[in-house]
Amino acid sequence: MNSMKLFVLLITLIALEPTRVIGYGPIESDVFDNTTGTPDTRFRREIGEDYTGITLLQASDFIFKTFKQTHGGGKSYTSIDATVTSFKISGLGGYPFQVAITTGNLILLNADYVQVYFGDVKAEFTGILYHESTRVWQWTANGAAPIGLVTGIADYIRLTSGWPSKNWVPRGSGSRWDEGYAVTAYFLEYCNGLRDGFIADLNAMMRYYYSDAFFVQLLGKSVYDLWDDYKLQYGGNPPVPAVALAPAPAPAPASKC
Ligand SMILES: *[C@@H]1O[C@H](CO)[C@@H](O)[C@H](O)[C@H]1NC(C)=O
């Protein structure tokens, strides 16, 4: 790769049917729309490969800024790739409400979920791309970190980038700090509010090893005391007053990624 690319801020777009490679700094994006000839027409009509590729790069950029890392974030990947496919036809699990499966730097996105989603699917899909992009770049202590913290950090990125899901529970919900997804994301938002840069430091510390003691090191309190402090703002723990809970959407597609 030409090192000048590091300084090029323009998004260049090279159309290569059926795959598009988009260069944006040293990270590339390769998106494949595998929905041709399937009943899942909505991805192609309302979102598209180009938008997906550009959003993956913008999400990666946002993640590196949040984590205070250079492009690549210490991982060896030079691209972030996605395949949009019918999980049903491809025989992948979780049809139709599993949203995505991310392995390494490849994100499999469920076109069936896009097809049946009620509402602004482009906004929902954008949030999903921010969540899954985080799963590509974040540290997980080689898988030893609590999965609820890992998904919570991914939804923290989704939240702070301005792409939360309309199906999320309200702030202050949940019974455990590491329940995952939006519950943990809102808690991490509180933690980062106590000291800006907390989330970047936490991610960096999670590279090889994980301990709950990281919260004490970073914020001077145990994660359990922090969770209690956070919950006190919403009437304490347990439980959240029922009036604070939004009615569950029906059906409630869990954003399991
Ligand atoms: C692409 O779609 C076909 C069916 O249309 C499916 O058999 C195949 O597994 C899909 N590929 C991927 C990578 O999901």
Side-chain angles (χ1 to χ4, degrees), residues 32 34-38 83-87 89-92 106 108:
F32 176 54
N34 192 40
T35 64
T36 309
T38 77
T83 296
V84 183
T85 193
S86 163
F87 277 24
I89 296 173
S90 305
L92 297 166
L106 176 63
L108 295 178

Side-chain angles (χ1 to χ4, degrees), residues 8-77:
V8 174
L9 292 175
L10 280 176
I11 296 166
T12 53
L13 220 116
I14 308 155
L16 294 172
E17 292 299 339
T19 295
R20 285 178 174 79
V21 177
I22 298 162
Y24 183 75
I27 304 293
E28 288 183 337
S29 174
D30 193 343
V31 177
F32 176 54
D33 176 1
N34 192 40
T35 64
T36 309
T38 77
D40 291 339
T41 55
R42 207 168 163 203
F43 170 76
R44 206 160 46 251
R45 283 187 288 114
E46 295 184 40
I47 302 166
E49 279 177 330
D50 289 351
Y51 178 80
T52 302
I54 289 167
T55 304
L56 288 172
L57 297 174
Q58 289 174 338
S60 298
D61 216 38
F62 183 84
I63 291 158
F64 300 139
K65 282 198 182 87
T66 302
F67 290 164
K68 302 189 196 303
Q69 292 172 323
T70 52
H71 274 242
K75 299 220 177 180
S76 56
Y77 311 133

Side-chain angles (χ1 to χ4, degrees), residues 40 85-89 95-96 110-117:
D40 291 339
T85 193
S86 163
F87 277 24
K88 188 182 185 186
I89 296 173
Y95 167 82
N110 188 0
D112 307 329
Y113 179 83
V114 171
Q115 191 67 24
V116 302
Y117 186 80

Side-chain angles (χ1 to χ4, degrees), residues 3 11 24 46 57 59 73 89-90 114 133 145 158 177 205 207 231 234 252:
S3 64
I11 296 166
Y24 183 75
E46 295 184 40
L57 297 174
I89 296 173
S90 305
V114 171
S133 297
R158 198 176 159 167
W177 77 270
M205 289 164 92
R207 182 160 185 168
K231 291 292 285 190
Y234 301 92

